[in-house]
Amino acid sequence: MVSTGHHLASLAAVRILEKGGNAADAGVAAGLCLNVVQPDLTQIGGVAPIMFYDAVRKSASTVAGLGGWPKNVDLDWLRSQGRIPTGIRRSVVPSAMGAWLTALERFGTISVAEAFEPAIELAENGFRVHSLLHSMLSDPATLEGLRRWSSLGRTFMRDDKPLAIGESLVQPELAKTLKKLVEASSGASSREEGIARAYDRFYRGDIARAMVEFSDSEGGWLAMEDLDAFSAEVEPAYAITYRGATVYSCGPWCQGPVVLQALNILEGYDIAAMELGGVDYYHIIVEALKAAFADRDRYYGDPRFVDVPMQGLLSKDYAAAWRARIDLGTASPGMPVPGDAWAFQGESHANEFQMPKAGDGPFEPDTSYLCVVDSDGNAFSATPSDGARETPIVPDLGFIISSRGVQSWLDPDHPAAIAPGKRPRLTPNPGIVVKDGEFVMPYGTPGADVQPQAMIQFLTGFLDHRLDIQEAIETPRVATYSFPSTHDPHLYRPGLVKIEGRARADVMSGLIGRGHKIEPWPDWFGTAGSIGAVMRTHDGAVMGGADPRRVAYALGW
């Protein structure tokens, strides 16, 4: 069973599975296809955090598809700007390609040529522009970028207008780059050697040199040394238990632990007894998320540069301490003061924290999602991102150099502050849930800071209220904005809660009565996330779902 952000990527994954590939093979092929058919949301030069569950070993691993700032980044210049600029000077080391190849090598079974074939076909022959792509290209901020950089305009515009729905989008330069990687892998003595050759050509060969030359021409800081040093690290996933299931996430280099922290807090409440979509339900979801987001702002960052008290943050006792601070009848007026997670792993640290200042502004959307389960019970979950919207495409290569630097802080005291070689704190965060003897279920969503919020509501619908996957996906969603957003300039809107218009009027008024500042979304709104999830049960049955809020699609047999 497969669920991805676009039906052509789902079809590609099915092709691989039908030929005998496993979940990792199909997932990598689908991820590369998303880089082609959702270029406004994802790129092979972007990011791609990945999780893989091995059914034999019964273990979950993560692939850190996230690059760091160039070693020569000019911190003084960036801070003098007061904002992280659009363009190449927000670029970090591209990591999606390294992550796809690493996952294919570590967990897959097929060759580079086999995994890349569907994406090359789509890039070379083209596909029809869909409604989501057209709406993204028509966004005023995107249009500004399309007109500013000729490489974007050539790809996504005709007669100075964004491609219309139904027009064909062909990406010959991207197809040529993908073919170069297949060419590099050919003639190798083993599958693994072929993957290593493709990896070397991207990060150390002519493709790397072209990236650096273009970065130099645009005033960027990327160097061959940065690309050569990059590695998509494979690490054990973090996990907590919730309602008898094990829920996995990536580490604090992304916001994945927000899901685990919020679930630990919610575990102490009888969520199943609350009306799904009622005032009590939404209130406690929002308040638990505010707590987890407060800790995200205080602690999360690249663990190679900052100490993150993960043992304390994921402690059940720490979650109980948060519950003692939550008022079931009244919303916290803004982001609560973060807890002392260090104390819950037996350590004492200075816990100085400066509350953020309120501010409003535009939202920067990007990201897609994909998940796969195979007939052996292996699971693949990935959240690729970084679209070609406010960063130029590298001429002759057909992809951007990751714009993920926009999710860093100029404040040197913040745990996610910019530093040479340091990775931003990433919003994309794939997930996997396993209930031993019952099921394995990869799941996730696009949506920036809304991602963990949509994931929590999906899981409580599925695990607490026993909805099926599609029902849990379609339940009306809320999202709190009562924390500094991840994208620079880190806007903070104390008390604000947005809710889909399908929620009942009495629920909205009830939330207002508890102190929440309610703003309704449209009934079905893509900004509320686009959950994908697939499940294989212990007896071999498969189920899946895709979110109607965007253009996602699930397929299986």
Side-chain angles (χ1 to χ4, degrees):
M1 178 70 74
V2 177
S3 183
T4 84
H6 191 280
H7 68 276
L8 292 174
S10 296
L11 283 168
V14 167
R15 280 171 56 182
I16 299 297
L17 291 171
E18 286 180 330
K19 292 177 181 178
N22 69 10
D25 300 321
V28 169
L32 289 164
C33 287
L34 288 178
N35 293 151
V36 177
V37 299
Q38 294 190 316
D40 53 319
L41 303 175
T42 80
Q43 292 273 310
I44 65 168
V47 299
I50 297 168
M51 296 186 70
F52 183 78
Y53 180 78
D54 187 310
V56 173
R57 294 183 175 87
K58 294 188 175 181
S59 64
S61 301
T62 67
V63 181
L66 171 63
W69 279 91
K71 294 293 179 65
N72 293 326
V73 59
D74 190 335
L75 293 175
D76 292 336
W77 183 86
L78 280 173
R79 288 174 184 145
S80 73
Q81 302 303 298
R83 288 283 306 275
I84 298 173
T86 58
I88 209 73
R89 287 192 171 181
R90 62 168 55 179
S91 291
V92 297
V93 174
S95 55
M97 182 53 68
W100 298 136
L101 292 172
T102 298
L104 186 65
E105 189 275 328
R106 288 290 294 269
F107 308 118
T109 66
I110 64 176
S111 68
V112 171
E114 292 169 305
F116 281 45
E117 182 182 11
I120 290 172
E121 290 176 3
L122 290 167
E124 195 167 45
N125 301 329
F127 64 94
R128 298 295 172 178
V129 171
H130 48 86
S131 58
L132 179 60
L133 174 55
H134 175 71
S135 67
M136 287 291 189
L137 296 178
S138 303
D139 177 79
T142 304
L143 279 173
E144 182 180 340
L146 299 185
R147 293 181 173 126
R148 176 180 173 186
W149 292 292
S150 60
S151 60
L152 290 183
R154 283 197 310 272
T155 304
F156 299 118
M157 300 184 83
R158 300 287 183 274
D159 301 322
D160 200 41
K161 294 180 180 179
L163 292 171
I165 295 172
E167 284 195 83
S168 181
L169 172 55
V170 180
Q171 299 168 82
E173 294 175 339
L174 177 58
K176 184 173 69 173
T177 296
L178 294 171
K179 286 181 174 181
K180 285 181 178 180
L181 298 175
V182 172
E183 179 186 80
S185 72
S186 64
S189 60
S190 67
R191 188 184 75 92
E192 291 76 13
E193 182 188 341
I195 295 170
R197 288 184 179 185
Y199 193 104
D200 282 349
R201 187 165 189 180
F202 191 90
Y203 285 98
R204 301 178 182 99
D206 57 334
I207 295 172
R209 288 191 294 273
M211 284 190 273
V212 170
E213 288 169 6
F214 180 69
S215 175
D216 287 345
S217 73
E218 291 281 321
W221 300 293
L222 187 68
M224 291 296 291
E225 293 80 5
D226 299 310
L227 294 165
D228 180 67
F230 174 74
S231 173
E233 297 171 353
V234 179
E235 305 162 327
Y238 283 90
I240 56 100
T241 56
Y242 182 80
R243 312 299 190 212
T246 302
V247 183
Y248 294 98
S249 86
C250 298
W253 46 267
C254 76
Q255 64 174 341
V258 166
V259 174
L260 307 188
Q261 283 195 252
L263 288 175
N264 270 347
I265 294 168
L266 292 170
E267 191 175 35
Y269 301 102
D270 191 354
I271 304 297
M274 299 177 184
E275 179 191 7
L276 184 67
V279 177
D280 290 342
Y281 172 77
Y282 285 136
H283 174 78
I284 196 58
I285 292 287
V286 166
E287 294 304 299
L289 283 164
K290 285 181 186 177
F293 279 124
D295 282 341
R296 182 188 75 165
D297 194 54
R298 170 66 182 85
Y299 296 111
Y300 293 17
D302 185 345
R304 296 182 302 192
F305 286 76
V306 295
D307 291 329
V308 185
M310 288 300 296
Q311 180 184 340
L313 289 168
L314 300 185
S315 160
K316 298 291 187 181
D317 289 338
Y318 184 60
W322 265 115
R323 282 194 296 273
R325 295 174 58 189
I326 291 175
D327 189 329
L328 295 178
T330 306
S332 59
M335 187 179 80
V337 174
D340 183 3
W342 288 111
F344 287 83
Q345 60 183 55
E347 299 181 43
S348 178
H349 285 244
N351 207 31
E352 297 176 2
F353 180 77
Q354 185 174 353
M355 289 297 289
K357 295 179 180 179
D360 206 346
F363 173 74
E364 291 195 32
D366 66 337
T367 309
S368 189
Y369 178 71
L370 69 107
C371 54
V372 184
V373 289
D374 63 27
S375 58
D376 293 322
N378 302 307
F380 188 93
S381 183
T383 314
S385 193
D386 291 353
R389 300 176 67 244
E390 296 187 2
T391 300
I393 286 174
V394 182
D396 297 325
L397 294 186
F399 63 86
I400 71 162
I401 301 170
S402 176
S403 56
R404 192 52 51 167
V406 73
Q407 293 193 331
S408 297
W409 264 253
L410 295 173
D411 176 3
D413 296 324
H414 195 278
I418 298 173
K422 186 179 179 182
R423 297 172 292 183
R425 191 195 70 206
L426 187 63
T427 46
N429 68 113
I432 292 177
V433 181
V434 177
K435 197 164 187 179
D436 195 33
E438 294 191 30
F439 65 82
V440 56
M441 181 178 70
Y443 76 108
T445 179
D449 292 311
V450 175
Q451 286 181 39
Q453 308 193 59
M455 292 163 78
I456 285 290
Q457 290 167 79
F458 167 74
L459 289 179
T460 53
F462 180 78
L463 294 173
D464 290 279
H465 284 273
R466 305 290 181 175
L467 302 181
D468 68 31
I469 288 175
Q470 193 63 38
E471 288 175 323
I473 288 172
E474 295 186 10
T475 301
R477 283 189 202 131
V478 298
T480 173
Y481 289 80
S482 198
F483 52 83
S485 68
T486 302
H487 284 79
D488 180 80
H490 314 297
L491 305 169
Y492 169 46
R493 289 152 280 195
L496 176 62
V497 173
K498 297 193 178 186
I499 185 168
E500 286 188 303
R502 293 178 292 128
R504 299 196 313 267
D506 66 297
V507 171
M508 294 191 195
S509 61
L511 291 169
I512 292 171
R514 294 194 188 184
H516 300 283
K517 299 175 183 177
I518 298 297
E519 288 185 10
W521 276 325
D523 285 0
W524 298 88
F525 198 43
T527 302
S530 180
I531 290 281
V534 295
M535 178 174 70
R536 187 179 189 276
T537 65
H538 71 285
D539 59 358
V542 291
M543 294 164 239
D547 205 316
R549 294 169 178 86
R550 298 200 187 182
V551 294
Y553 213 88
L555 286 170
W557 68 95

